[in-house]
């Protein structure tokens, strides 16, 4: 059946002409031929010809089967107005969805990896709701608005004294009326607060975080849930309707950077911006620091910990403007690198950041900062950054500030370049060289007053969050950290350097306290020793400990850091008697600071992809299939050939492999399970029949 180009298309009428579903078909005008004679065309172009009864019945049956799996209900008017109704794309056979409940939200989520979701990040989402709630409490209190959080006790109660004389009842009644008028306005969860916060979630995926904001955080004016994926936005709309928060949550499909750049005007900025991308948020930071309001809250998650922890320093520099070092304190250094990057980008627009809370947890780091504008304060940013000189032998580190702020006449601050370096070319303890890292943020990571408010609110309402116990533990450790001491050492690092037995945490902390120094734990590492003692004092304490647990010096190389450190006599006598204040409060109470593995194979999830493949046993099958794929094969040719035949050929799957039986990889049809998940290796060229031919491959290659 052919439709002439000049004949226009006739569309079947529907509730939304802007979007075409599978039950809406474009019937082109068909030419009919009867007995070899062609009928004359009608003068008008719009001619609708009915299909044969048989074909119409088939189409009706197909439409009925398709509509059985569709949700019933009225169409989304907002989506119809924007022309963004789901496009009815085909779903693979066996497509299923799962209903997930987290906090006060309930979302529908596809089993296939089309939209990103990681249940391990529940701690991240719970903590974000707690932080935004306290931020809203502070912001709205300045406007005379009091927020009401479900589960919190109402501390403001009216006390009536029944013993007052009768003649004063009239005065009391008048005073009560005035008190009612003077009572602050309230903002409850799920209600629109006209003077409340405008929230943007730049990469919302299924919309779970935004829906939780709407259902758990009071004092919100609107929540914009944005994602660039059309499938994610369609799922988001369903979840918004499912949770009945369409009056607060506004789904948006756009590039997050362009959306934030469009809200640079002061009156259009967001009070809270939440960025939780897959991997690095570096490409979104420039737009984010411009789109957040004055004093607004910026929440950023980074899951590219391999880059931030020093595995690829040049990549870290390209993304965050700092060189990362491999160190035992790499998790705290990652936090300081992200804060440096945020402040550096904000300085370009005469803005600066003030950290409220910085968390290193599981496989990611999370920072909460407020963004302010002020040219005078921006000048102090250089003095807040520092370079790190780290010894490659013993791990001792020294910080070098980029700038110096000194007091001048009239109470002003004078800024100048700092003097350095703080170390000699060789380490004073072991004689090894130094590595240079940074710049990084050298100021406090947290606002302890704000952290205390969040901790108090979570402790008073433990049933609000599923991970409240862990939030209490982590925030309690943070309140005990030394705020003015960047980075830390670890017990195993100090002991392994000189090859001695490891002292207990309380023994080392007690020795530092007896020596007159401060010491604390760190939420980023359970064996951390954060202290203001210089590295020379630490090594003196370890020398004293080694005398109680001697090391066999004959086994040490004269050029090793251990030999050089132990060859020097300690200049102080360490006291390892346990002190009562050596055991921190969070440790005494047994708070949950570091969680156990929440599930098998937990951690970062694979990136969401269009037409995602189902997760589950097929992922385990793929892992088993590709296990040791990059391992150097055995030298025996027969075993090598058998080993390579266990991997499927990628070119054969694509239909482009011309090697046939000479291909070193398998051409056997994979099972349906392996086809769903396995990513075959690329097929190299087959060995040439002429070994002298230049450029001929002589083996399978190494990947």
């Amino acid at each position: 059946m052919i439709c002439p180009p000049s004949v226009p298309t006739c569309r079947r009428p529907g509730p939304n002409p802007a979007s075409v579903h599978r039950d809406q078909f474009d019937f082109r005008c068909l030419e009919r031929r009867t007995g070899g004679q062609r009928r004359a065309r009608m003068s008008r172009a719009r001619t609708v010809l009915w299909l044969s009864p048989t074909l119409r019945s088939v189409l009706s049956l197909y439409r009925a089967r398709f509509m059985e799996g569709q949700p019933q209900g009225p169409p989304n008017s907002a989506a119809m107005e924007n022309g963004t109704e789901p496009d009815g794309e085909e779903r693979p056979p066996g497509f299923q969805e799962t209903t997930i409940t987290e906090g006060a939200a309930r979302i529908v989520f596809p089993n296939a990896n089309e939209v990103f979701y990681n249940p391990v990040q529940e701690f991240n989402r719970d903590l974000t709701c707690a932080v935004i709630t306290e931020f809203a409490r502070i912001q709205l209190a300045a406007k005379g608005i009091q927020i009401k959080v479900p589960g919190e006790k109402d501390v403001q109660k009216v006390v009536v004294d029944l013993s007052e004389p009768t003649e004063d009842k009239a005065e009391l009644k008048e005073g009560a009326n005035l008190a009612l008028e003077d009572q602050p306005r309230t903002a409850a969860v799920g209600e629109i607060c006209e003077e409340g916060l405008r929230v943007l979630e730049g990469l919302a995926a299924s919309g779970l975080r935004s829906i939780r904001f709407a259902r758990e955080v009071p004092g919100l004016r609107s929540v914009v849930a944005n994602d660039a994926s059309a499938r994610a936005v369609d799922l988001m709309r369903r979840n918004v309707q499912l949770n009945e928060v369409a009056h607060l949550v506004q789904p948006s499909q756009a590039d997050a950077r362009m959306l934030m750049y469009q809200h640079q005007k002061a009156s259009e900025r967001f009070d809270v911006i939440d960025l939780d991308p897959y991997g690095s948020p570096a490409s979104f930071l420039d737009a984010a620091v411009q789109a957040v309001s004055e004093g607004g809250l910026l929440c950023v998650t980074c899951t590219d910990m391999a880059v931030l922890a020093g595995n690829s320093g040049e990549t870290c520099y390209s993304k965050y403007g700092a060189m990362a070092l491999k160190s035992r304190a790499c998790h705290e250094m990652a936090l300081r690198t992200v804060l440096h990057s945020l402040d550096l980008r904000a300085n370009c627009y005469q803005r600066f950041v003030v950290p409220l809370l910085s968390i290193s947890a599981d496989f990611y780091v999370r920072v909460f900062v407020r963004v302010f504008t002020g040219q005078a304060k921006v000048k102090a940013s250089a003095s807040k950054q520092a370079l790190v000189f780290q010894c490659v032998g013993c791990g001792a580190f020294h910080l070098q500030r980029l700038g110096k702020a000194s007091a001048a006449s009239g109470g002003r601050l004078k800024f100048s370049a700092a003097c350095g370096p703080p170390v000699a070319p060789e380490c004073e303890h072991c004689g090894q060289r130094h590595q240079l890292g940074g710049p990084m943020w050298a100021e406090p990571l947290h606002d302890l007053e704000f952290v205390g408010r969040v901790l108090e609110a979570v402790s008073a309402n433990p049933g609000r969050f599923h991970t409240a116990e862990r939030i209490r533990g982590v925030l309690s450790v943070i309140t005990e950290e030394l705020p003015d001491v960047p980075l830390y050492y670890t017990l195993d690092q100090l002991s392994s350097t000189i090859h001695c037995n490891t002292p207990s945490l309380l023994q080392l902390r007690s020795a530092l306290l007896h020596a007159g120094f401060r010491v604390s734990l760190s939420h980023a590492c359970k064996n951390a020793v954060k202290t203001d003692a210089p590295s020379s004092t630490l090594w003196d304490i370890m020398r004293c400990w080694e005398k109680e647990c001697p090391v066999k010096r004959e086994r040490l190389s004269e050029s090793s850091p251990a030999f050089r450190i132990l060859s020097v006599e300690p200049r102080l006598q360490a006291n390892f008697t346990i002190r009562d204040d050596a055991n921190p409060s969070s440790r005494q109470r047994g708070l949950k600071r570091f969680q156990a593995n929440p599930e098998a194979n937990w951690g970062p999830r694979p990136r969401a992809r269009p037409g995602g493949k189902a997760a589950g046993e097929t992922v385990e099958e793929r892992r088993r299939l590709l296990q040791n794929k990059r391992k150097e094969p055995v030298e025996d040719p027969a075993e090598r050939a058998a080993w390579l035949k266990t991997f499927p050929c990628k070119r054969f799957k694509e239909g482009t492999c011309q090697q046939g039986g000479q291909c070193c990889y398998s051409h056997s049809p994979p099972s349906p399970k392996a086809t769903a998940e396995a990513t075959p290796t690329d097929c190299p060229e087959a060995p040439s029949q002429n070994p002298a031919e230049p450029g001929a491959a002589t083996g399978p290659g190494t990947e």
Side-chain angles (χ1 to χ4, degrees):
M1 297 184 292
I2 302 176
C3 178
S6 59
V7 180
T9 301
C10 292
R11 294 186 182 272
R12 182 179 178 182
N16 184 11
S19 61
V20 182
H21 295 272
R22 280 187 228 180
D23 59 337
Q24 295 174 329
F25 295 90
D26 297 344
F27 298 102
R28 294 186 177 274
C29 299
L30 308 178
E31 296 183 88
R32 290 188 177 180
R33 298 176 181 270
T34 308
Q37 296 180 356
R38 184 178 182 177
R39 294 185 178 180
R41 294 183 179 178
M42 300 181 65
S43 57
R44 294 191 176 184
R46 295 183 178 270
T47 305
V48 180
L49 300 181
W50 293 96
L51 299 176
S52 62
T54 304
L55 183 57
R56 288 204 304 269
S57 61
V58 172
L59 292 177
S60 300
L61 178 61
Y62 174 81
R63 186 183 305 116
R65 290 181 178 179
F66 173 76
M67 293 302 294
E68 285 178 359
Q70 300 300 312
Q72 302 297 325
N76 188 347
S77 59
M80 293 172 60
E81 292 175 2
N82 298 329
T84 53
E85 190 75 0
D87 55 2
E89 56 180 316
E90 282 195 22
R91 297 281 172 240
F95 178 79
Q96 296 179 352
E97 291 180 337
T98 304
T99 301
I100 299 172
T101 302
E102 181 180 299
R106 187 164 57 96
I107 67 167
V108 175
F109 188 78
N111 290 347
N113 189 29
E114 291 183 288
V115 181
F116 187 80
Y117 169 72
N118 193 347
V120 180
Q121 291 272 27
E122 183 179 4
F123 170 75
N124 186 336
R125 291 183 283 268
D126 286 351
L127 181 62
T128 303
C129 290
V131 169
I132 296 180
T133 299
E134 292 309 307
F135 179 72
R137 195 191 306 271
I138 295 173
Q139 294 293 95
L140 296 183
K143 302 177 182 179
I145 302 176
Q146 178 184 354
I147 65 172
K148 288 188 174 182
V149 180
E152 282 190 1
K153 296 181 180 179
D154 189 4
V155 297
Q156 296 187 357
K157 298 181 180 179
V158 179
V159 180
V160 180
D161 190 357
L162 301 179
S163 63
E164 292 292 337
T166 309
E167 55 269 19
D168 295 338
K169 287 186 177 180
E171 297 181 2
L172 289 175
K173 185 176 181 180
E174 182 179 359
N177 294 335
L178 293 176
L180 289 175
E181 295 177 359
D182 294 339
Q183 284 184 356
R185 293 170 293 171
T186 60
V189 170
E191 297 179 357
I192 297 178
C193 180
E194 295 299 335
E195 300 181 35
L197 305 181
R198 297 180 67 241
V199 182
L200 168 66
E201 185 185 3
L203 307 134
S206 62
L208 171 61
R209 192 182 299 250
S210 295
I211 293 172
R212 289 196 59 183
F213 290 164
R215 294 184 63 89
E216 300 179 28
V217 179
L220 301 184
R221 180 181 176 184
S222 64
V223 180
V224 178
N226 177 77
D227 202 282
S229 168
R231 172 60 180 152
V233 176
D234 293 341
L235 185 64
M236 205 184 304
R237 290 194 180 95
R238 290 183 56 191
N239 292 327
V240 167
Q241 296 293 337
L242 178 65
N243 289 270
E244 301 178 349
V245 290
H247 60 291
L248 272 175
V249 181
Q250 305 169 7
S252 167
Q253 181 181 351
D255 185 281
R257 292 163 294 187
M258 296 305 300
L259 180 62
M260 289 186 286
Y261 280 133
Q262 293 170 0
H263 288 78
Q264 296 181 25
K265 191 177 179 181
S267 60
E268 299 178 357
R269 291 175 178 171
F270 296 98
D271 300 296
V272 179
I273 295 181
D274 190 302
L275 296 176
D276 191 356
Y278 185 92
S280 172
S283 60
F284 305 98
L285 299 184
D286 183 78
V289 296
Q290 299 180 66
V292 67
S293 62
E294 180 66 15
L297 181 64
L298 182 57
C299 318
V300 181
T301 300
C302 306
T303 57
D304 55 336
M305 288 302 297
V307 173
L308 288 168
N311 286 356
S312 182
E314 65 281 0
T315 304
C316 184
Y317 179 81
S318 66
K319 292 183 177 181
Y320 300 99
M323 286 291 295
L325 298 178
K326 287 187 177 181
S327 168
R328 298 300 177 93
C330 60
H331 293 93
E332 182 176 327
M333 190 176 293
L335 284 171
R336 296 184 179 276
T337 299
V338 175
L339 291 175
H340 159 75
S341 182
L342 281 169
D343 193 58
L344 184 64
R345 285 168 167 83
N347 291 164
C348 298
Y349 309 101
Q350 301 299 315
R351 311 193 83 184
F352 60 96
V353 302
V354 176
L356 292 182
L357 178 63
S358 305
I359 294 288
S360 173
D362 301 333
F363 52 86
Y364 60 90
V365 292
R366 177 77 162 168
V367 297
F368 302 88
V369 301
R370 296 186 69 180
V371 182
F372 296 91
T373 305
Q375 184 176 5
K377 294 293 184 68
V378 170
K379 293 181 179 179
S381 291
S383 60
K384 298 177 183 178
Q385 320 298 327
L387 298 173
V388 184
F389 291 84
Q390 179 178 278
C391 175
V392 299
C394 64
F397 57 83
H398 302 268
L399 268 63
Q400 170 65 64
R401 298 272 181 160
L402 291 184
K404 182 174 63 174
S406 55
S409 60
R412 296 180 298 106
L413 287 178
K414 181 181 179 181
F415 303 101
S416 59
C419 299
V423 295
E426 295 181 351
C427 178
E428 59 177 323
H429 308 297
C430 64
Q432 300 292 328
R433 68 185 187 279
H434 290 93
Q435 285 184 327
L436 183 62
M440 69 174 191
W441 181 264
E443 292 295 301
L445 295 174
H446 323 281
D447 182 343
L448 294 182
E449 181 182 356
F450 181 81
V451 174
R453 294 175 63 104
V454 178
L455 177 59
E456 182 182 0
V458 174
S459 301
N461 191 7
R464 184 184 178 193
F465 302 115
H466 182 256
T467 61
E469 184 181 356
R470 188 186 178 193
I471 293 177
R472 287 182 56 205
V474 171
L475 296 184
S476 297
V477 176
I478 287 176
T479 58
E480 298 169 351
E481 289 183 8
L482 296 178
D484 55 342
V485 179
L487 306 184
Y488 53 81
Y489 297 92
T490 60
L491 275 176
D492 53 327
Q493 170 196 1
L494 297 173
S495 301
S496 63
T497 300
I498 60 176
H499 305 288
C500 73
N501 293 336
T502 304
S504 69
L505 181 64
L506 296 183
Q507 286 177 321
L508 184 59
R509 287 172 57 91
S510 298
L512 287 167
L513 292 173
H514 282 301
F517 298 99
R518 297 178 298 157
V519 62
S520 75
L521 298 176
S522 173
H523 78 279
C525 179
K526 61 181 180 180
N527 294 326
V529 179
K530 184 186 283 286
T531 177
D532 58 350
S535 56
S536 58
T537 301
L538 272 173
W539 288 125
D540 280 343
I541 293 175
M542 293 306 297
R543 292 185 186 103
C544 295
W545 174 257
E546 187 271 338
K547 291 183 181 298
E548 298 184 7
C549 306
V551 176
K552 295 183 178 181
R553 306 295 177 88
E554 61 273 11
R555 295 186 177 182
L556 301 178
S557 171
E558 295 184 359
S559 60
S560 65
F563 183 87
R564 296 189 178 185
I565 291 174
L566 295 178
S567 62
V568 178
E569 288 297 320
R571 287 172 291 183
L572 64 84
Q573 185 61 37
N575 183 1
F576 294 99
T577 305
I578 304 298
R579 292 179 42 152
D580 293 337
D581 55 348
N583 195 11
S585 174
S586 61
R587 197 168 181 267
Q588 293 179 9
R589 291 181 290 169
L591 296 181
K592 186 176 182 179
R593 299 173 295 160
F594 308 97
Q595 74 166 0
N597 293 353
E599 59 183 17
N601 302 316
W602 71 282
R605 292 298 179 93
R607 184 188 297 270
R609 302 184 183 279
K613 302 168 185 175
E617 296 180 358
T618 50
V619 176
E620 299 300 324
E621 178 68 19
R622 180 185 177 219
R623 289 171 178 164
R624 185 198 62 78
L625 182 65
L626 300 182
Q627 187 71 28
N628 297 326
K629 167 187 170 182
R630 300 179 184 273
K631 186 177 180 180
E632 190 67 25
V634 293
E635 296 182 357
D636 182 54
E639 294 183 10
R640 179 188 179 93
W643 176 76
L644 291 175
K645 281 293 184 181
T646 61
F647 300 106
C649 175
K650 179 179 179 181
R651 294 185 180 179
F652 174 75
K653 180 182 177 181
E654 297 174 349
T656 59
C657 183
Q658 306 295 331
Q659 307 303 324
Q662 297 182 357
C663 181
C664 60
Y665 293 120
S666 172
H667 279 197
S668 57
S671 63
K673 180 181 293 187
T675 304
E677 281 296 328
T679 303
T681 62
D682 196 4
C683 175
E685 298 294 332
S688 173
Q689 299 299 329
N690 184 9
E693 182 180 351
T698 57
T702 57
E703 294 190 9

